[in-house]
Amino acid sequence: MNKLTHIIRSELKSLMRGKWVMGYGLIFLALTDVLLRFGGGGPETLLSLSNVMLLFIPLVGMIYGILYIYQSREFVELLLTQPIARNTLYWGLYLGISIPLMSAFVIGSLLPLIWHGIFVLDVGSTVLVLGLGAVLTLIFVSLGFVLGLAFYDDRIKGFGFTIVIWLFMAILYDGLILFLVFLLGDYPLDKFVIIVSMLNPIDLARIMVMLEFDISALMGYTGAVFNRFFGSSYGVITAAAMLVVWLVIPMWSGLNVFSKKDF
Amino acid sequence: MSIPSQMKNLKYIVTVCLLMVAPQLYGQISVSLDGPIKSISEAVKMAEPGSRIEVQSGVYEESGILIEKSIELVGIGMPVVNGMGNGFIFIVRADSVTISGFEITNTGQSYVRDYAAIIIEKVADFVIENNVVDDVFFGIYVADTKRGVIRNNRVESYDLREASSGNGIHLWNANNPQVYGNTVIGMRDGIYLEFVEDADIRDNFSSQNNRYGLHYMFSNGGSYYRNTFTKNGAGVAVMYSNYVDMSDNNFEDNWGGAAYGLLLKDIKHSKISGNRFYRNTVAIYSEATSDVEISGNHVELNGWAVNIKSNSIGNRFIGNNFIENSLDVRTDSPRNNNTFEGNYWSAYEGYDLDRDGVGDVPYRPVSLFSVIIEKQPAALILLRSMFIRLLDTAERIMPVLTPKTLYDEKPRMERIP
């Protein structure tokens, strides 16, 4: 445990020296503040913030994750010669990057929300949006780690895959769903679209945002499965559970690759 | 028999005599459970036109109280009238009757007759006020009347099925009724009007009714304002009526596949202004309406702000605020016969170079996604997705599938206060 905190602390120091994380936090600070100033405040701001979050956090998380693996190559290889368990090293690296990223997002967005008084007004929605951002950061940093470890020597390939995966998950996946919906339009599709959307963490987060802000529209669709799913706590619980699964799988597979890898 | 008890009897007899003379003398009868007159029906029978009956608190198990004289029935300390499930409780068949301050409960149900706590038939100038009507089939049932006031009553019932519940305040063929400050909860329709002329409905609160909070049928003229309608099964419906004025009402939290903040069907020459629509599935649904002016409303966080069918013609949406509705306008036709002008749309992304507060490019409130879910409702799950946003933006720049003529030429840049 001592070693773990030590690694995290040294990571943190080097990150602070780089100032990138600070910049990342400041971007969210400026963005949220501008949204609040010009967007009228209230639910609109949180919705705009969640749109930005759904698009950029996955990209930034993955890029940071993979970049981190590449940058700290010498550091990792040095530490591996020391009597430190690979588990500890992995968690140290992982938390050392994801905790600062997460806090940069949460603090950067939260401060303007507090000084504009939205946080007090709408605690539930704020916590949901920021919490989702935090979870997405965790998921995509670990995805970045997995990719970085998989393409350890071929950086171009690693970055290429990162961009392609982001593009697919953030944008193209929904196009695919839409295509399937039109293709299979003659069949009852309620269950199908719910399950398919649950397979993508960005869609999962989007569904949770929808459940918070658009429930009145969702109730307008007359499908019984839809209504039961979204109209009760069932929808939130399932989506949250799936997010946890999405959190665990890349983390675990990253750990697996890291422990078995011949550096 | 001892002397004191004899005295007591004597006292009793004197009191009864006095009380029997009293109505003639003072025009006032007192009913109480420990007094000589223990039943409201009895008191009503004894009363002369113009007299006042005061009912002291207590539980009266009575039903079918037939009032055929112009009297005033006043409850003192909220007496309870329990109909024991035997049908109508108060039946008013005379002009200028007042019923106030009663708790009326348990009419029983019927699929044949509209049992009501108070039924008022073929009369004028009634006053029903400050009553609590609880657990009944119909609440206050008005038929064939002129004028009359229903105010500050509370009607509540608990049946969750549409077929086996009645309306809270039911007005049929009434002229100039005034309905003020009532609270109606858990009935079929909160306030129901059919063939009512010039109704004046204001400051009512209608919530959690199985069907509509307010149901307006074939009722011309009249206005309803400053009412609040929340969590009703299907919102508020105004149908087959002309010259209705709907303003400053609050439509909130009406959710469901067939739930609307305000449903308009076959409405002509009416005004909808200054209302607030908040978190309804569809804020305003319009079918076959014409010449309706919808202005100065605040439409926020609804699923759809407006669902307007192609048979709606010549309606004007002017100066409304449309804020963060999941979708702004939905329609089933590529043509547009209505006007949208000078509204504020929070989804508008245009610019204002000449700084006159009006956007320089028109806003198209029907998005491509709205057209998509009209065809494939299951696609609704893609709401707010980046892919959909890209499609919408492309469509807004080059409209192909969305109605080309449905746009707001002068979208406001700022929220209208």
Side-chain angles (χ1 to χ4, degrees):
Chain A
M1 206 61 215
N2 219 354
K3 281 175 193 157
L4 184 68
T5 48
H6 198 81
I7 295 170
I8 294 173
R9 214 177 305 138
S10 85
E11 301 279 285
L12 213 66
K13 259 183 220 156
S14 73
L15 269 175
M16 286 297 163
R17 264 201 303 279
K19 296 199 177 60
W20 280 106
V21 171
M22 301 281 265
Y24 179 63
L26 281 176
I27 286 173
F28 274 105
L29 187 99
L31 179 86
T32 317
D33 191 65
V34 166
L35 284 176
L36 281 164
R37 261 173 227 282
F38 299 104
E44 295 163 66
T45 314
L46 284 171
L47 272 169
S48 310
L49 182 65
S50 66
N51 288 335
V52 176
M53 170 199 95
L54 288 176
L55 194 63
F56 287 113
I57 285 195
L59 181 66
V60 172
M62 269 203 293
I63 294 276
Y64 259 104
I66 196 167
L67 204 67
Y68 205 69
I69 289 288
Y70 292 155
Q71 270 188 343
S72 48
R73 186 168 181 160
E74 288 83 21
F75 178 63
V76 171
E77 281 168 9
L78 173 77
L79 283 184
L80 280 172
T81 59
Q82 307 298 316
I84 299 172
R86 283 202 172 191
N87 264 352
T88 315
L89 184 54
Y90 175 78
W91 290 119
L93 289 170
Y94 177 63
L95 294 175
I97 177 73
S98 51
I99 288 175
L101 274 183
M102 234 161 58
S103 354
F105 163 71
V106 171
I107 295 169
S109 317
L110 189 61
L111 285 178
L113 287 171
I114 289 175
W115 74 56
H116 285 278
I118 301 297
F119 180 64
V120 191
L121 214 74
D122 215 344
V123 181
S125 311
T126 312
V127 169
L128 178 83
V129 171
L130 298 186
L132 283 173
V135 172
L136 281 181
T137 309
L138 287 174
I139 291 174
F140 282 92
V141 167
S142 59
L143 269 179
F145 264 41
V146 173
L147 283 169
L149 292 166
F151 302 99
Y152 199 58
D153 297 309
D154 197 344
R155 294 185 182 198
I156 303 294
K157 233 184 191 170
F159 278 119
F161 266 103
T162 307
I163 302 288
V164 167
I165 286 176
W166 171 75
L167 207 63
F168 179 73
M169 279 185 160
I171 298 168
L172 297 179
Y173 192 82
D174 293 338
L176 201 67
I177 296 182
L178 188 63
F179 174 72
L180 287 174
V181 163
F182 270 88
L183 196 71
L184 307 172
D186 297 336
Y187 303 93
L189 286 173
D190 298 21
K191 242 180 221 165
F192 170 76
V193 290
I194 290 174
I195 291 169
V196 173
S197 318
M198 291 268 159
L199 296 179
N200 178 348
I202 300 179
D203 275 349
L204 268 175
R206 186 173 55 77
I207 286 170
M208 293 190 76
V209 171
M210 253 177 18
L211 284 171
E212 178 74 19
F213 293 101
D214 299 294
I215 185 72
S216 45
L218 291 173
M219 291 287 98
Y221 178 52
T222 37
V225 178
F226 241 56
N227 278 6
R228 205 174 326 128
F229 185 77
F230 291 120
S232 59
S233 50
Y234 188 61
V236 182
I237 291 168
T238 318
M242 277 306 287
L243 263 182
V244 171
V245 171
W246 258 106
L247 196 59
V248 171
I249 289 174
M251 264 192 217
W252 175 80
S253 53
L255 179 64
N256 219 20
V257 175
F258 190 80
S259 333
K260 287 182 186 146
K261 190 166 179 60
D262 183 14
F263 282 92
Chain B
M1 204 181 275
S2 65
I3 291 167
S5 89
Q6 250 178 347
M7 284 291 285
K8 215 176 176 182
N9 272 351
L10 193 65
K11 214 165 145 191
Y12 179 64
I13 290 161
V14 170
T15 318
V16 171
C17 288
L18 270 175
L19 278 168
M20 284 174 74
V21 180
Q24 279 76 24
L25 289 177
Y26 307 109
Q28 181 160 335
I29 304 171
S30 179
V31 180
S32 72
L33 288 174
D34 47 5
I37 304 171
K38 293 188 172 57
S39 130
I40 302 169
S41 311
E42 196 183 322
V44 169
K45 258 178 225 144
M46 285 164 60
E48 293 291 312
S51 58
R52 173 184 165 101
I53 299 174
E54 287 190 351
V55 180
Q56 307 297 326
S57 61
V59 179
Y60 300 83
E61 292 176 353
E62 287 183 61
S63 60
I65 303 168
L66 183 63
I67 302 168
E68 290 179 301
K69 302 159 211 163
S70 302
I71 53 169
E72 198 181 345
L73 256 173
V74 181
I76 307 288
M78 271 313 202
V80 177
V81 184
N82 188 335
M84 308 300 285
N86 290 329
F88 296 106
I89 297 178
F90 285 103
I91 303 165
V92 178
R93 296 248 174 82
D95 289 353
S96 308
V97 169
T98 299
I99 298 178
S100 91
F102 286 91
E103 183 176 335
I104 309 166
T105 177
N106 201 358
T107 56
Q109 270 178 5
S110 162
Y111 290 98
V112 185
R113 309 199 59 190
D114 295 339
Y115 288 150
I118 302 174
I119 178 167
I120 301 151
E121 272 182 319
K122 301 190 177 98
V123 301
D125 300 308
F126 54 89
V127 177
I128 307 294
E129 62 184 358
N130 304 328
N131 300 291
V132 173
V133 179
D134 190 79
D135 196 10
V136 292
F137 187 43
F138 277 67
I140 298 163
Y141 190 110
V142 177
D144 284 320
T145 62
K146 289 199 171 59
R147 297 173 299 275
V149 185
I150 300 171
R151 69 181 160 223
N152 300 335
N153 300 287
R154 182 187 166 89
V155 183
E156 183 164 4
S157 220
Y158 312 95
D159 200 309
L160 296 175
R161 288 162 301 170
E162 210 174 287
S164 53
S165 53
N167 300 327
I169 296 171
H170 180 104
L171 302 159
W172 186 82
N173 199 13
N175 248 319
N176 295 316
Q178 299 180 318
V179 182
Y180 303 156
N182 300 285
T183 298
V184 186
I185 296 170
M187 308 296 293
R188 181 171 63 197
D189 288 343
I191 302 170
Y192 177 89
L193 295 90
E194 194 171 349
F195 306 115
V196 174
E197 298 287 320
D198 299 317
D200 183 1
I201 299 168
R202 65 170 125 106
D203 298 314
N204 299 289
F205 178 80
S206 178
S207 176
Q208 294 152 55
N209 296 294
N210 299 330
R211 196 167 63 184
Y212 299 117
L214 172 72
H215 193 173
Y216 221 93
M217 299 280 278
F218 309 106
S219 296
N220 296 331
S223 60
Y224 64 92
Y225 49 106
R226 296 199 308 255
N227 302 287
T228 296
F229 307 102
T230 74
K231 295 179 189 151
N232 294 298
V236 167
V238 182
M239 302 181 178
Y240 311 104
S241 305
N242 300 330
Y243 304 102
V244 184
D245 185 355
M246 316 166 215
S247 38
D248 303 321
N249 300 289
N250 204 352
F251 301 85
E252 261 183 40
D253 294 320
N254 299 296
W255 288 356
Y260 311 97
L262 176 58
L263 181 152
L264 303 166
K265 183 166 168 47
D266 283 273
I267 304 299
K268 292 187 182 67
H269 320 300
S270 295
K271 252 176 64 187
I272 301 169
S273 63
N275 301 288
R276 177 169 172 270
F277 297 88
Y278 186 75
R279 282 190 180 256
N280 304 287
T281 290
V282 177
I284 303 172
Y285 174 94
S286 153
E287 195 177 312
T289 58
S290 62
D291 188 29
V292 174
E293 185 174 309
I294 298 117
S295 64
N297 299 290
H298 190 85
V299 188
E300 185 171 355
L301 278 173
N302 301 281
W304 284 263
V306 177
N307 185 349
I308 189 159
K309 297 289 175 197
S310 53
N311 52 9
S312 300
I313 297 168
N315 302 295
R316 299 174 301 282
F317 292 82
I318 296 168
N320 301 288
N321 280 321
F322 293 101
I323 297 164
E324 282 304 337
N325 300 293
S326 301
L327 293 150
D328 282 324
V329 177
R330 175 176 188 172
T331 182
D332 56 354
S333 150
R335 268 171 292 281
N336 170 43
N337 303 309
N338 304 287
T339 318
F340 290 83
E341 201 176 280
N343 300 290
Y344 168 75
W345 310 86
S346 67
Y348 179 58
E349 284 163 344
Y351 46 84
D352 178 22
L353 290 181
D354 52 5
R355 299 203 160 267
D356 58 350
V358 174
D360 298 346
V361 281
Y363 176 69
R364 300 183 175 278
V366 182
S367 64
L368 177 59
F369 188 50
S370 170
V371 176
I372 289 174
I373 46 182
E374 186 83 20
K375 292 197 179 110
Q376 287 295 351
L380 190 60
I381 200 155
L382 296 172
L383 185 69
R384 289 194 196 288
S385 120
M386 197 60 210
F387 184 77
I388 294 299
R389 206 175 307 262
L390 290 175
L391 283 185
D392 275 347
T393 309
E395 175 72 18
R396 273 199 179 126
I397 296 165
M398 286 279 291
V400 180
L401 296 166
T402 53
K404 286 184 191 60
T405 52
L406 201 164
Y407 56 80
D408 188 332
E409 185 99 58
K410 296 174 178 164
R412 300 286 194 97
M413 296 304 289
E414 296 283 338
R415 224 183 257 203
I416 301 151

